[in-house]
Amino acid sequence: MMLDDFLIRAALAGLGVALAAAPLGSFVVWRRMAYFGDATAHAAILGVAVALAVSTSVFVGALAMSLIMATTVSTLSGRGFAMDTMLGVLAHSALAFGLVAVSFLSGVRIDLMAYLFGDILAVSRGDLLVIWSGAALVIGLLIWRWQALLTATLSPDLAYASGIDPRREQLVLTLSLAVVVAVAIKVVGVLLIAAMLIVPAAAARPLSATPERMAVIAALIACASTLGGLRAAFHLDTPTGPTIVCVAALIFAATTFGAMLLRRRQDAPAS
Amino acid sequence: MRLIETKGLSVRLGGTEVLHDVNFFLERGEIVTIVGPNGSGKSTLLRAMIGAVRLSAGSIHRAPDLRIGYVPQKLHIDPTLPMTVTRFLGLPQRHKDTDLRAALEQAGLPDLRDRQMADLSGGQFQRVQLARALLERPDLLILDEATQGLDQPGSAAFYRRIEEVRRDLNCAVLMVSHELHVVMSASDRVICLNGHICCEGHPEIVAQAEEYRALFGSGTQGALALYRHEHTHLHDHPQSHKAAE
């Protein structure tokens, strides 16, 4: 069977995360929620610790804790706190508490590195099912709410005037973010999930004239990074999750500098 | 037919009461302008009408299925968000290509459909915003200082366009403006706001009203006084503004 090959399973897991994370990441970029993604992802490590302590599924623990964090941040953001400071505090303290909590689990042998940086080569068939279900849920939500999400992102007031409640759309994004974090832990680990959200979207920006094109191109870039990263990691014997993010970052550098050079050439007087 | 009506509307923002006991209504087909000094709650009132502001007291009653077209004072599009004119006009509802072309033509714009919103001039941007609001075929059009940044012929053309729109769609128009002389002639009713409604009525009547003169002075000098206005009701005769300069 095809799925017997761990590399095939790894590729499918990575593609599932890439397809959901990139379009969601576009919203994270447009709405300037980068730190929001970090806080949610870092909270997941605390969820992992709690799940292991009460011996339940790591996915459930991470999802629950990410949801709590995402909802908290989402609620606070409407109340006029200095958001960058607040998010910085929440993101890093969630990570610190998570790491401390994990250290209490001395009886259990856990590979902390696997949760921090992912362990894509150890993805099981069950993991694949969870990842693709989560990805399908997020992609479905985004497509279903697309017009309303985009209007609310453009301007909350324009949304209100058209009978769209921007707070409800924010909730859709919050929920999607928690799901993506929970399914992405296995693939890139909590420290680099935010990168999978933001880097492909940022790389797609110079190539895009419309929001839809940006989301699709971001997804393609994320998929290419996943496959390229897997291959590079295999040949170079490097950790897979970070290698995937490195490939995405190189693509970002290429599109951004390419666009800058192109603009400079266009602006230069014809001689 | 009343499209929208507020009763005892009050709004607090960050502990200060911005609007207090505002009662007013709009009927189909009328153009109503809100005037008032900076910080008098004009924008807040408009935002309350679209449902974007929580009321601290009072209520807003909207006609069932009321469609609102809203043109905000400033619309900042984040540079990370690519947005063509076509895509902008298609929010929140997509429209047929022929409708988009017609909307741009009626707005007096060339075919800008493939241009980025960020590349438009100030005047083009405002007219595209109006076109977007009109594509929703609103019952009520709300404009918050829509002519800001337009030159005088530009804003005169804008107000002529509003009159056409009212005639074509038979909608109500509610706007905030600083350009008193233009507004006065283009409006059926003027509401003078300073935290509460100071006075309202036909433009000529409001222009003569004690409260209005206290806020804005009289004649062309009044239009100037608007920008130097101090936020209180205790005003001397308008001449004192001049004397103070």
Side-chain angles (χ1 to χ4, degrees), chain A residues 146-157:
Chain A
W146 187 264
Q147 286 284 106
L149 278 170
L150 208 51
T151 308
T153 300
L154 182 69
S155 154
D157 281 359

Side-chain angles (χ1 to χ4, degrees), chain A residues 252-265:
Chain A
F252 166 80
T255 61
T256 306
F257 288 117
M260 270 167 63
L261 286 178
L262 198 66
R263 183 168 303 168
R264 184 171 292 183
R265 183 174 296 177

Side-chain angles (χ1 to χ4, degrees), chain A residues 29-32 79 146-148 150-151 153-158 160-162 164 167 205 208-212 214, chain B residues 47 50-52 68 70 72 75-84 87-88 90-94 116 129 132 136:
Chain A
V29 167
W30 298 331
R31 299 167 74 102
R32 312 219 153 193
R79 310 254 161 116
W146 187 264
Q147 286 284 106
L150 208 51
T151 308
T153 300
L154 182 69
S155 154
D157 281 359
L158 288 187
Y160 275 120
S162 301
I164 297 165
R167 289 167 303 182
R205 174 63 186 95
S208 317
T210 63
E212 288 75 19
M214 181 158 152
Chain B
R47 295 187 64 235
I50 62 171
I68 299 178
Y70 176 62
L75 182 65
H76 171 76
I77 300 181
D78 196 279
T80 61
L81 178 60
M83 185 63 66
T84 57
R87 202 60 198 83
F88 180 76
L91 289 173
Q93 231 104 65
R94 289 178 186 271
Q116 288 289 310
Q129 277 222 69
R132 191 201 69 86
E136 298 286 300

